[in-house]
Amino acid sequence: MLEHQEEAPVPGKVTIYDVARRAGVAPSTVSRAFSRPGRVNAATAERIRRVAEELGYRVNPLARALSTARTGMIALVVPDIANPFYAEVILGAQATATRAGFTILLADTQESGRIERAALERAMPTVDGILLAGSRMSDSAIRMVSKQKPVVVLNRAVVDVPCVVPDNARGIRGAAEHLAELGHQHITYVAGPEASWADGMRWRSLREVALELHLRVGRIGPFTPDVQGGVRAAEEMGTSPTSAVIAYNDQLAIGLIRGLAARGVRVPQDVSVVGFDNIFAADLITPGLTTVAAPLHTEGATATKHLLAMISGTASRRSEPGAQRVPEQAGQAVVLPVRLVVRGSTAQRSRKRTSPASGTTRVSPSAAKAATSTSAGSR
Amino acid sequence: MLEHQEEAPVPGKVTIYDVARRAGVAPSTVSRAFSRPGRVNAATAERIRRVAEELGYRVNPLARALSTARTGMIALVVPDIANPFYAEVILGAQATATRAGFTILLADTQESGRIERAALERAMPTVDGILLAGSRMSDSAIRMVSKQKPVVVLNRAVVDVPCVVPDNARGIRGAAEHLAELGHQHITYVAGPEASWADGMRWRSLREVALELHLRVGRIGPFTPDVQGGVRAAEEMGTSPTSAVIAYNDQLAIGLIRGLAARGVRVPQDVSVVGFDNIFAADLITPGLTTVAAPLHTEGATATKHLLAMISGTASRRSEPGAQRVPEQAGQAVVLPVRLVVRGSTAQRSRKRTSPASGTTRVSPSAAKAATSTSAGSR
DNA sequence: AATCGCGTGGCAACTGGTTGCCATGTGTTG
DNA sequence: CAACACATGGCAACCAGTTGCCACGCGATT
């Protein structure tokens, strides 16, 4: 609170040597007083702490890092910060990191594997661990990185690297069942980026579920996972839209709805649309977007928790760079539960504009049950 | 590309000493070869570079920072990453920082001055400069910080500290003129957080413009600057909504529209609403939100550019912590132009539900001119 | 009384670069 | 041919901590 200290006008320049001299001890003792509590006599430690306070001493994290090889920073690499999906993940990560005394180094890779590599190159030597969210690099590249520093991957499963992913399969299943209960029999999947692991996962899951529920499925894409991409998808779809669509993510779904609207196709009367992720905006648009809610915040938090565990595991000696044993199951991905949020973008299949085969309208009680809307992101 | 180097299996552990030995020179020469091009004979430098490459050597930024007191990192402090407003700013900052070889340390302060201080405390010793976006600290606290490290403030003017702000006054003027041209005579301002400098600025500007244009203005608030806040504002407004509203930011405006809709008040038929910032979602909702577009990305970029200039200015000797002379005008805020984006949330004042005084409907040609919509954020 | 062990504190080496200053060698100039 | 300037490389100190090892002193054990 004081603006001027007695002797140290420049709080950034006080070193352990200054403190040591003033306290009448050796610099090493000062160092120990801070970094190794218990190693120093309580009385001495107290005195040192008082002098340090008085001088306005702060440990220099860089100097400390130089010998301990621990910086207290972790890198968070995301493809696009502006994507609200990652914004939530970042928040979750940041919260738990901060709580543990760690700082986050953020890198946006603009959806480019090249930039991602470059960013890692820069960040690697400075951080204790790395969080790769939605990486666009190859599995083998990721594995290489994880050999040098602790790594946790989000939204993607990579063999031999700890991962945290939402339950894509169950999410897609929920969406498909919901649509089936509304009477839809043909679902189109609007695909996201080819490089995305989640995209492949979701499409595969959809095909499996389709078999089981006797649904027909088609697929268009790939599209860039933003609103623009959705608009383009609508164009491509224009000729023969199926009565139900599941999009790779919410942005695509939103763009799709806009694009369809522009072509005179109404949602949900003519086409039902389901998204994925439940981003902030899903609740803002009209109609509200039915979507699979991924636990974004939790994902970031969980991944960070694991990473921190790995880091403190490595704490042993500064040898064996990648020798951390994974916290629990090695290489086993942690799967986080998802839930379907039903809003206005899905509805009973209309009889017209469908093949006259099964014109019966079924009112499914379970669909009605599931129709609990949620409140918008408030935080 | 190679997975195994000839002699250095652990690329993270090669030092200048290893390179020096292998190249037959002194460590200092290796250091110079990298950090001081020209100081070393071209041929020698080339040889060193080759050996380094071969050994997989990378400079250790921490060690370098220890003696140079330059880390190549800048802190970016924002109140809420999930706020799309800041997401864009971050992107702008990150782009120019990366281009200059700098890395960004991100800190979210959850709209808390206390957390903000703590974050700065942690980050300060590690970074070369600080970007404060939407700080919740006091002016004097900010000034203190800027005495220790180069600081640039965004979206707020602080005396004696370089700032980058959008042209709030002109933005509000544009909005008010637009509403006036549509026949509105009474505008309500929905206020954001009290601690926000921008909020005070916008309200003051509105009052000034109102005088000039012979408009009446009222004000409600403060509200938290999110959708929830807008909903609450709608509740508070319910009894006597004016025909026109300007909200502190887009989230408030969006919440307001939802809240009004829930109470049976239609936008824009009954009430015209204008937001501020032109975030991503402004174009997604129905009706589209008329809003003042702030140059978010540019703001981040500009601020970063200035900060980097200040940092390289400080580069002289490691003395005088805060002695950087501001790039151009000292303490003068850089004001960035804004523009009004007219969408569906504003319309001609309806004759009913207004005082019968001036029932004449005016069709303003300039309002029609201004009605150019923009495409949503694509990037 | 001699020995053992433990709690403390100091010495000095180490982390991986940077840089001021000096020595050497070479080319240029008077 | 001497004097001088300049290019180039090395030495060693320095940045601000951490830590292995040792020494000292004191109380407990036998």
Side-chain angles (χ1 to χ4, degrees):
Chain A
M1 289 300 155
L2 294 171
E3 304 217 352
H4 273 290
Q5 237 52 46
E6 321 189 332
E7 295 220 31
V10 194
K13 297 241 162 301
V14 186
T15 73
I16 50 170
Y17 298 95
D18 301 321
V19 177
R21 200 174 325 120
R22 193 78 133 59
V25 295
S28 52
T29 307
V30 177
S31 171
R32 290 200 185 95
F34 285 104
S35 57
R36 193 124 335 174
R39 179 64 174 72
V40 167
N41 184 303
T44 317
E46 181 46 40
R47 180 158 45 93
I48 290 174
R49 203 151 297 143
R50 247 200 16 258
V51 172
E53 171 78 22
E54 189 173 308
L55 254 44
Y57 167 77
R58 342 237 62 149
V59 317
N60 179 332
L62 283 82
R64 180 191 293 238
L66 190 53
S67 39
T68 60
R70 307 279 312 283
T71 60
M73 295 198 274
I74 64 184
L76 208 191
V77 182
V78 300
D80 179 10
I81 307 174
N83 183 335
F85 172 88
Y86 292 111
E88 270 303 321
V89 173
I90 294 172
L91 240 28
Q94 148 118 14
T96 61
T98 303
R99 211 171 306 130
F102 278 71
T103 306
I104 286 202
L105 208 76
L106 187 70
D108 179 298
T109 66
Q110 299 165 54
E111 309 269 2
S112 144
R114 198 180 47 70
I115 300 182
E116 189 171 346
R117 279 165 197 281
L120 279 175
E121 191 83 358
R122 311 195 96 276
M124 285 258 280
T126 318
V127 299
D128 296 337
I130 299 161
L131 247 29
L132 285 180
S135 174
R136 297 287 184 260
M137 299 193 304
S138 69
D139 276 26
S140 66
I142 292 178
R143 230 170 280 130
M144 285 243 57
V145 172
S146 91
K147 247 174 229 143
Q148 316 198 186
K149 294 263 177 178
V151 170
V152 173
V153 175
L154 279 91
N155 297 317
R156 168 166 171 177
V158 178
V159 180
D160 290 337
V161 179
C163 302
V164 175
V165 297
D167 197 336
N168 287 299
R170 223 185 285 278
I172 289 294
R173 165 177 298 274
E177 283 176 354
H178 169 63
L179 290 172
E181 279 171 352
L182 290 173
H184 300 279
Q185 298 176 324
H186 196 324
I187 300 177
T188 300
Y189 177 72
V190 178
E194 281 183 293
S196 162
W197 176 83
D199 181 72
M201 196 63 184
R202 289 172 194 172
W203 167 236
R204 224 170 307 127
S205 302
L206 181 58
R207 279 206 308 202
E208 282 173 22
V209 180
L211 268 182
E212 222 175 283
L213 299 181
H214 305 291
L215 298 170
R216 282 173 298 150
V217 291
R219 163 184 171 134
I220 61 172
F223 300 99
T224 55
D226 51 25
V227 175
Q228 277 303 315
V231 172
R232 273 193 293 277
E235 288 166 16
E236 197 165 305
M237 186 176 277
T239 58
S240 62
T242 53
S243 73
V245 174
I246 296 180
Y248 164 67
N249 74 0
D250 287 349
Q251 279 103 311
L252 267 178
I254 291 171
L256 183 70
I257 292 175
R258 309 202 96 204
L260 290 175
R263 313 174 65 86
V265 182
R266 295 163 311 160
V267 173
Q269 293 89 336
D270 301 331
V271 176
S272 287
V273 175
V274 179
F276 211 113
D277 293 344
N278 192 33
I279 63 172
F280 170 75
D283 194 35
L284 294 183
I285 61 166
T286 313
L289 182 64
T290 295
T291 186
V292 178
L296 271 22
H297 195 93
T298 308
E299 246 180 273
T302 306
T304 308
K305 223 170 295 168
H306 279 229
L307 186 63
L308 292 177
M310 291 167 67
I311 290 173
S312 48
T314 319
S316 49
R317 189 58 57 240
R318 56 158 59 198
S319 52
E320 318 148 278
Q324 355 82 11
R325 49 243 175 272
V326 188
E328 282 127 52
Q329 344 78 321
Q332 209 65 336
V334 176
V335 179
L336 263 31
V338 299
R339 71 179 208 290
L340 185 70
V341 177
V342 178
R343 296 203 185 88
S345 69
T346 47
Q348 201 72 25
R349 189 181 73 172
S350 66
R351 260 148 303 168
K352 55 169 189 166
R353 81 171 1 260
T354 339
S355 56
S358 66
T360 330
T361 310
R362 305 180 304 160
V363 176
S364 149
S366 59
K369 256 202 322 237
T372 54
S373 179
T374 57
S375 60
S378 53
R379 286 200 340 96
Chain B
M1 291 300 154
L2 293 170
E3 304 216 355
H4 272 290
Q5 240 51 46
E6 320 189 336
E7 294 217 35
V10 193
K13 297 240 164 300
V14 187
T15 74
I16 49 169
Y17 299 95
D18 300 323
V19 177
R21 198 173 328 118
R22 195 78 131 60
V25 295
S28 51
T29 306
V30 176
S31 171
R32 290 200 187 95
F34 285 104
S35 56
R36 194 122 335 175
R39 178 66 174 70
V40 167
N41 185 303
T44 317
E46 180 47 40
R47 179 158 45 94
I48 290 175
R49 201 150 300 143
R50 245 199 20 256
V51 172
E53 170 78 20
E54 187 173 311
L55 252 45
Y57 167 77
R58 342 238 63 148
V59 317
N60 179 333
L62 282 84
R64 181 194 294 244
L66 190 52
S67 38
T68 59
R70 307 280 310 285
T71 59
M73 294 198 275
I74 65 186
L76 208 192
V77 182
V78 299
D80 180 10
I81 307 174
N83 183 333
F85 173 89
Y86 292 111
E88 270 301 323
V89 174
I90 295 172
L91 239 29
Q94 146 116 16
T96 62
T98 304
R99 210 169 307 128
F102 277 71
T103 307
I104 285 203
L105 207 75
L106 188 70
D108 179 299
T109 67
Q110 298 165 55
E111 310 269 1
S112 146
R114 199 182 46 69
I115 300 182
E116 190 172 345
R117 278 164 198 284
L120 279 174
E121 192 84 357
R122 310 196 95 276
M124 286 255 282
T126 319
V127 300
D128 296 337
I130 300 162
L131 246 29
L132 285 180
S135 174
R136 296 290 183 257
M137 298 194 304
S138 69
D139 276 26
S140 65
I142 292 179
R143 231 171 279 130
M144 285 243 55
V145 172
S146 91
K147 249 174 226 140
Q148 315 197 190
K149 293 264 179 179
V151 169
V152 173
V153 176
L154 279 90
N155 295 319
R156 169 167 172 177
V158 178
V159 180
D160 290 335
V161 179
C163 302
V164 175
V165 298
D167 197 336
N168 286 299
R170 224 186 284 278
I172 289 294
R173 166 177 297 274
E177 284 176 353
H178 169 63
L179 290 171
E181 280 171 352
L182 290 174
H184 300 279
Q185 298 176 324
H186 196 324
I187 300 177
T188 300
Y189 178 71
V190 179
E194 281 183 291
S196 162
W197 176 85
D199 181 71
M201 195 62 184
R202 287 171 196 174
W203 168 234
R204 225 171 306 129
S205 302
L206 181 56
R207 280 207 308 203
E208 281 173 24
V209 179
L211 268 181
E212 222 175 284
L213 300 181
H214 305 290
L215 298 170
R216 282 173 296 150
V217 290
R219 163 182 169 136
I220 61 173
F223 299 99
T224 55
D226 51 25
V227 175
Q228 278 300 317
V231 173
R232 274 194 293 277
E235 288 167 16
E236 198 165 304
M237 186 175 278
T239 59
S240 63
T242 54
S243 72
V245 174
I246 297 180
Y248 164 68
N249 75 0
D250 287 348
Q251 282 102 312
L252 268 178
I254 291 171
L256 183 69
I257 293 175
R258 309 201 95 205
L260 290 174
R263 311 173 65 85
V265 182
R266 294 163 309 159
V267 172
Q269 293 89 337
D270 301 329
V271 176
S272 286
V273 176
V274 179
F276 210 113
D277 292 346
N278 192 33
I279 63 173
F280 169 76
D283 195 35
L284 295 183
I285 63 167
T286 312
L289 181 64
T290 295
T291 187
V292 178
L296 272 23
H297 195 93
T298 308
E299 247 180 272
T302 307
T304 307
K305 225 170 295 168
H306 280 229
L307 186 63
L308 294 177
M310 291 167 65
I311 291 173
S312 47
T314 319
S316 49
R317 189 56 60 240
R318 57 159 58 198
S319 53
E320 319 149 280
Q324 354 83 11
R325 51 243 174 272
V326 188
E328 282 128 50
Q329 343 77 323
Q332 208 68 334
V334 176
V335 179
L336 262 30
V338 300
R339 71 179 207 292
L340 184 70
V341 177
V342 179
R343 297 202 183 88
S345 69
T346 47
Q348 203 71 28
R349 188 181 77 172
S350 66
R351 261 146 306 169
K352 55 169 190 167
R353 82 170 2 256
T354 341
S355 58
S358 69
T360 331
T361 311
R362 305 180 302 159
V363 175
S364 149
S366 61
K369 257 202 322 239
T372 52
S373 179
T374 58
S375 59
S378 52
R379 289 206 332 95

